[in-house]
Structure formats: C-alpha cells, structure tokens
Amino acid sequence: MSQTQKTNWGQFIPLVTVFFFWGFVASSNDILIPVFKKAFDLSQGESQFVSLAFYIAYTVGSIIYMIVSAIMGKDLINKIGYKNSLSLGLLISALGTLLFIPAANLESYPLMLAGLFTVALGFSLQQTVANPLAIALGNPSTGSQRLTLAGGINNLGTTIGPLIVAYAIFGSASNGDSNLSIEAVKTPYLCLGLAFLAVAIFLKFSSLPSHPEQEVEDSVDTVSHKDRSSALKYPQLILGMIAIFLYVGV
C-alpha cells in the first residue's frame, strides 16, 4: 500500500454509519432501565440486567468468533470477507430488534434482554471488522485520524440517541399519561432494525473492499516482531484492553 495513498472517502463515509449505531444504541439502553423497572416491577439490581445483557454480548461474541475461527482453521473475517462480515453483523443486530415484537406482546423481560443481547452480538462482529477496515481505507499513517473521526460520529450517536429514544417512548408522558405501556419500546427499536437492514444491504453492494490490502511492515519492524506468534504478546494490546475495560466501566 502506497504511503501517498489518500483516504477513500467514498468507502469510509458509508463505513462510519455503523460507528453511529454503536453509540446510538449503547447510550439509549439507559433509557430502558427505568422503563423496564416500572413495567416489569423490577428491583434496582434486576433492572441493571439491561446493561449486563448488552455488554456481556461483546465478550460472548468474541469467544464465539475465536471458536469458529479455530474450527475453520482460518480467521472468520478473512474467510468470508470484511464487507460480508459487516453486513452479517448488521443482520444479526436487526434480528435482535425483531425480538422486541414478541417481547412486548408477551410482556417478557427475559425476551427483551435476549433482544438487546442479540443486537450487541451483532455489534461485536461489526466492531471486529470496522476498526481495522477504517485504517485500511487509506494511508496507514493516517489511520488513527480516521478512527478519531469515526469516534466522533460514534459520540454523535451517543449524544442524540437518548434524546430520540426518550421522545419516542415518553412522548405521551407530556400529556400526563403515567401508565406507560411496554409497547412504547417496540416502535423505536423496530425503526432501528429497519435502519440496520437498510445499511446492511447498502454496504453489501457498496464499494467497500472484502479483503483490503495489508500494509507490509518495514524490515526493521518485521525483525523486531518476528518472535511474536500471538497478538497477546504485544504489550500495547494488553494495556489497551485494560484501558478499554476501565473506560467502559466508568
């Protein structure tokens, strides 16, 4: 990959839509906690399963990914392609939003949690694909700049997500209606599912690369890393994992 290669904005801009979704949904989940607590008569601890079901899916998704890759004998994303993996992740998330229909009809809290878990399961695959793909869509030396921009789009979703979801769920509350039905949760998440599906189809037929070129490290860097047979042997990865763990926890 040439060091003079410029960012492919035609491919990068569609890619950052998934970054927006991650922030939008993750921050909107906090709106569901008081709604579920009242609708299902939950304790404070029980209502926090909303966050647990969502974020534990990232760990479960990563484990599934590693197991499937080990069984295949090849990295899953490299096998089916980056673009297909991204679309698959969006379809999994869309499936999760569909669970909100029977969950609302049956007034089932476990089914609601299953829906959130499935949405986040799709996100775990999307994030595995989107972050390295954002770096690959241009000069690797400016990859951090693209990730920072994508992070800004993610923060935009984090900012407006709770506002939109809260208005969609509590819109009638302004009229003094204190008997909020769990049915109110269904509509915004079904709209979100349609958005997932639309973007999945769009990305499937977009110009995003299925197997982006891999940057070849210079000879000095290659020699210094020749004995590192596992990603976990890179200290910056371990430190990064700790930093992300603390960041999400906070």
Side-chain angles (χ1 to χ4, degrees):
M1 184 179 292
S2 174
Q3 292 296 314
T4 60
Q5 181 180 352
K6 296 181 179 180
T7 297
N8 191 326
W9 294 106
Q11 296 176 345
F12 180 73
I13 292 176
L15 176 64
V16 296
T17 57
V18 297
F19 285 82
F20 176 84
F21 284 147
W22 304 339
F24 188 101
V25 176
S27 61
S28 298
N29 287 340
D30 291 336
I31 303 297
L32 299 179
I33 293 176
V35 175
F36 288 172
K37 184 178 179 181
K38 181 176 181 180
F40 297 115
D41 192 24
L42 304 173
S43 67
Q44 183 63 34
E46 290 171 334
S47 67
Q48 292 302 318
F49 279 114
V50 169
S51 294
L52 177 62
F54 186 81
Y55 285 107
I56 199 66
Y58 284 86
T59 301
V60 174
S62 299
I63 294 173
I64 293 175
Y65 177 83
M66 293 175 63
I67 292 175
V68 171
S69 295
I71 293 175
M72 295 173 58
K74 184 177 182 181
D75 182 75
L76 175 62
I77 291 176
N78 287 325
K79 177 68 174 179
I80 66 177
Y82 277 62
K83 182 164 62 174
N84 290 335
S85 299
L86 201 56
S87 295
L88 176 60
L90 285 162
L91 290 177
I92 293 173
S93 294
L95 178 63
T97 63
L98 289 179
L99 290 177
F100 277 76
I101 297 178
N105 293 339
L106 298 173
E107 297 186 353
S108 171
Y109 183 50
L111 204 51
M112 287 282 186
L113 296 180
L116 290 172
F117 178 87
T118 306
V119 169
L121 201 61
F123 281 4
S124 69
L125 178 57
Q126 294 168 41
Q127 291 198 17
T128 305
V129 177
N131 286 287
L133 189 54
I135 296 176
L137 297 180
N139 191 329
S141 66
T142 59
S144 60
Q145 297 175 22
R146 287 189 292 279
L147 284 177
T148 299
L149 178 58
I153 301 300
N154 177 272
N155 290 336
L156 175 62
T158 301
T159 302
I160 68 174
L163 298 176
I164 294 176
V165 173
Y167 180 79
I169 294 176
F170 297 106
S172 60
S174 61
N175 298 323
D177 181 14
S178 60
N179 296 319
L180 182 66
S181 171
I182 198 64
E183 289 282 335
V185 175
K186 188 164 58 175
T187 300
Y189 278 84
L190 287 181
C191 291
L192 195 58
L194 290 175
F196 289 153
L197 182 60
V199 174
I201 295 173
F202 175 75
L203 292 179
K204 172 65 177 178
F205 295 101
S206 71
S207 60
L208 277 175
S210 291
H211 297 89
E213 294 180 357
Q214 301 296 314
E215 174 66 10
V216 179
E217 298 175 318
D218 57 55
S219 57
V220 175
D221 199 38
T222 301
V223 171
S224 65
H225 292 163
K226 64 180 181 179
D227 295 329
R228 298 196 174 159
S229 58
S230 169
L232 294 177
K233 293 184 179 180
Y234 288 82
Q236 60 266 42
L237 174 64
I238 302 298
L239 294 174
M241 291 167 63
I242 295 172
I244 292 175
F245 177 85
L246 296 174
Y247 161 75
V248 176
V250 171

mmCIF file of all heavy atoms in Angstrom, residues 146-163:
data_model
loop_
_atom_site.group_PDB
_atom_site.id
_atom_site.type_symbol
_atom_site.label_atom_id
_atom_site.label_comp_id
_atom_site.label_asym_id
_atom_site.label_seq_id
_atom_site.Cartn_x
_atom_site.Cartn_y
_atom_site.Cartn_z
ATOM 1 N N ARG A 146 -8.504 8.670 11.002
ATOM 2 C CA ARG A 146 -9.805 8.166 10.555
ATOM 3 C C ARG A 146 -10.579 7.550 11.724
ATOM 4 O O ARG A 146 -11.796 7.699 11.819
ATOM 5 C CB ARG A 146 -9.611 7.146 9.428
ATOM 6 C CG ARG A 146 -9.198 7.773 8.113
ATOM 7 C CD ARG A 146 -9.222 6.769 6.970
ATOM 8 N NE ARG A 146 -8.190 5.751 7.103
ATOM 9 C CZ ARG A 146 -6.923 5.933 6.752
ATOM 10 N NH1 ARG A 146 -6.529 7.089 6.251
ATOM 11 N NH2 ARG A 146 -6.043 4.954 6.883
ATOM 12 N N LEU A 147 -9.861 6.849 12.604
ATOM 13 C CA LEU A 147 -10.524 6.263 13.774
ATOM 14 C C LEU A 147 -11.037 7.351 14.711
ATOM 15 O O LEU A 147 -12.105 7.211 15.318
ATOM 16 C CB LEU A 147 -9.569 5.332 14.520
ATOM 17 C CG LEU A 147 -9.333 3.968 13.885
ATOM 18 C CD1 LEU A 147 -8.313 3.178 14.693
ATOM 19 C CD2 LEU A 147 -10.633 3.188 13.775
ATOM 20 N N THR A 148 -10.290 8.439 14.825
ATOM 21 C CA THR A 148 -10.737 9.552 15.662
ATOM 22 C C THR A 148 -11.995 10.178 15.082
ATOM 23 O O THR A 148 -12.950 10.505 15.807
ATOM 24 C CB THR A 148 -9.634 10.612 15.778
ATOM 25 O OG1 THR A 148 -8.482 10.029 16.381
ATOM 26 C CG2 THR A 148 -10.092 11.793 16.627
ATOM 27 N N LEU A 149 -12.027 10.340 13.757
ATOM 28 C CA LEU A 149 -13.218 10.877 13.109
ATOM 29 C C LEU A 149 -14.401 9.942 13.287
ATOM 30 O O LEU A 149 -15.523 10.381 13.584
ATOM 31 C CB LEU A 149 -12.937 11.105 11.617
ATOM 32 C CG LEU A 149 -14.111 11.623 10.776
ATOM 33 C CD1 LEU A 149 -14.647 12.935 11.325
ATOM 34 C CD2 LEU A 149 -13.680 11.789 9.313
ATOM 35 N N ALA A 150 -14.155 8.650 13.120
ATOM 36 C CA ALA A 150 -15.220 7.664 13.317
ATOM 37 C C ALA A 150 -15.715 7.700 14.759
ATOM 38 O O ALA A 150 -16.914 7.562 15.027
ATOM 39 C CB ALA A 150 -14.723 6.264 12.966
ATOM 40 N N GLY A 151 -14.778 7.901 15.702
ATOM 41 C CA GLY A 151 -15.167 8.021 17.095
ATOM 42 C C GLY A 151 -16.037 9.239 17.341
ATOM 43 O O GLY A 151 -16.936 9.216 18.191
ATOM 44 N N GLY A 152 -15.788 10.312 16.600
ATOM 45 C CA GLY A 152 -16.635 11.495 16.706
ATOM 46 C C GLY A 152 -18.057 11.218 16.237
ATOM 47 O O GLY A 152 -19.027 11.693 16.846
ATOM 48 N N ILE A 153 -18.171 10.415 15.166
ATOM 49 C CA ILE A 153 -19.508 10.020 14.687
ATOM 50 C C ILE A 153 -20.189 9.138 15.724
ATOM 51 O O ILE A 153 -21.395 9.234 15.967
ATOM 52 C CB ILE A 153 -19.392 9.278 13.347
ATOM 53 C CG1 ILE A 153 -18.728 10.170 12.291
ATOM 54 C CG2 ILE A 153 -20.771 8.823 12.863
ATOM 55 C CD1 ILE A 153 -19.473 11.448 11.998
ATOM 56 N N ASN A 154 -19.392 8.277 16.361
ATOM 57 C CA ASN A 154 -19.921 7.432 17.431
ATOM 58 C C ASN A 154 -20.467 8.286 18.575
ATOM 59 O O ASN A 154 -21.547 8.029 19.114
ATOM 60 C CB ASN A 154 -18.804 6.511 17.935
ATOM 61 C CG ASN A 154 -19.228 5.643 19.102
ATOM 62 O OD1 ASN A 154 -19.119 6.045 20.253
ATOM 63 N ND2 ASN A 154 -19.687 4.442 18.813
ATOM 64 N N ASN A 155 -19.733 9.335 18.937
ATOM 65 C CA ASN A 155 -20.164 10.220 20.012
ATOM 66 C C ASN A 155 -21.414 11.011 19.632
ATOM 67 O O ASN A 155 -22.227 11.353 20.503
ATOM 68 C CB ASN A 155 -19.037 11.179 20.390
ATOM 69 C CG ASN A 155 -17.892 10.480 21.100
ATOM 70 O OD1 ASN A 155 -18.086 9.434 21.702
ATOM 71 N ND2 ASN A 155 -16.697 11.034 21.015
ATOM 72 N N LEU A 156 -21.552 11.293 18.348
ATOM 73 C CA LEU A 156 -22.776 11.957 17.892
ATOM 74 C C LEU A 156 -23.976 11.065 18.153
ATOM 75 O O LEU A 156 -25.024 11.520 18.644
ATOM 76 C CB LEU A 156 -22.669 12.280 16.396
ATOM 77 C CG LEU A 156 -23.926 12.878 15.745
ATOM 78 C CD1 LEU A 156 -24.265 14.218 16.385
ATOM 79 C CD2 LEU A 156 -23.726 13.029 14.236
ATOM 80 N N GLY A 157 -23.829 9.773 17.838
ATOM 81 C CA GLY A 157 -24.904 8.824 18.118
ATOM 82 C C GLY A 157 -25.174 8.713 19.606
ATOM 83 O O GLY A 157 -26.330 8.614 20.044
ATOM 84 N N THR A 158 -24.097 8.750 20.409
ATOM 85 C CA THR A 158 -24.245 8.695 21.862
ATOM 86 C C THR A 158 -25.019 9.891 22.393
ATOM 87 O O THR A 158 -25.786 9.777 23.353
ATOM 88 C CB THR A 158 -22.856 8.652 22.526
ATOM 89 O OG1 THR A 158 -22.150 7.504 22.056
ATOM 90 C CG2 THR A 158 -22.966 8.577 24.032
ATOM 91 N N THR A 159 -24.847 11.037 21.745
ATOM 92 C CA THR A 159 -25.488 12.271 22.197
ATOM 93 C C THR A 159 -26.967 12.325 21.849
ATOM 94 O O THR A 159 -27.817 12.642 22.699
ATOM 95 C CB THR A 159 -24.779 13.495 21.587
ATOM 96 O OG1 THR A 159 -23.401 13.478 21.966
ATOM 97 C CG2 THR A 159 -25.422 14.797 22.060
ATOM 98 N N ILE A 160 -27.290 11.997 20.603
ATOM 99 C CA ILE A 160 -28.676 12.168 20.170
ATOM 100 C C ILE A 160 -29.530 10.919 20.383
ATOM 101 O O ILE A 160 -30.761 11.005 20.373
ATOM 102 C CB ILE A 160 -28.750 12.595 18.683
ATOM 103 C CG1 ILE A 160 -28.295 11.452 17.760
ATOM 104 C CG2 ILE A 160 -27.933 13.841 18.436
ATOM 105 C CD1 ILE A 160 -28.476 11.768 16.283
ATOM 106 N N GLY A 161 -28.888 9.757 20.594
ATOM 107 C CA GLY A 161 -29.639 8.523 20.795
ATOM 108 C C GLY A 161 -30.635 8.606 21.935
ATOM 109 O O GLY A 161 -31.831 8.346 21.746
ATOM 110 N N PRO A 162 -30.188 8.975 23.147
ATOM 111 C CA PRO A 162 -31.133 9.049 24.270
ATOM 112 C C PRO A 162 -32.245 10.065 24.047
ATOM 113 O O PRO A 162 -33.375 9.852 24.493
ATOM 114 C CB PRO A 162 -30.235 9.465 25.449
ATOM 115 C CG PRO A 162 -28.871 9.030 25.061
ATOM 116 C CD PRO A 162 -28.800 9.206 23.578
ATOM 117 N N LEU A 163 -31.932 11.154 23.348
ATOM 118 C CA LEU A 163 -32.949 12.184 23.097
ATOM 119 C C LEU A 163 -34.062 11.642 22.206
ATOM 120 O O LEU A 163 -35.248 11.829 22.483
ATOM 121 C CB LEU A 163 -32.304 13.410 22.441
ATOM 122 C CG LEU A 163 -31.230 14.140 23.257
ATOM 123 C CD1 LEU A 163 -30.617 15.261 22.435
ATOM 124 C CD2 LEU A 163 -31.824 14.677 24.550
#
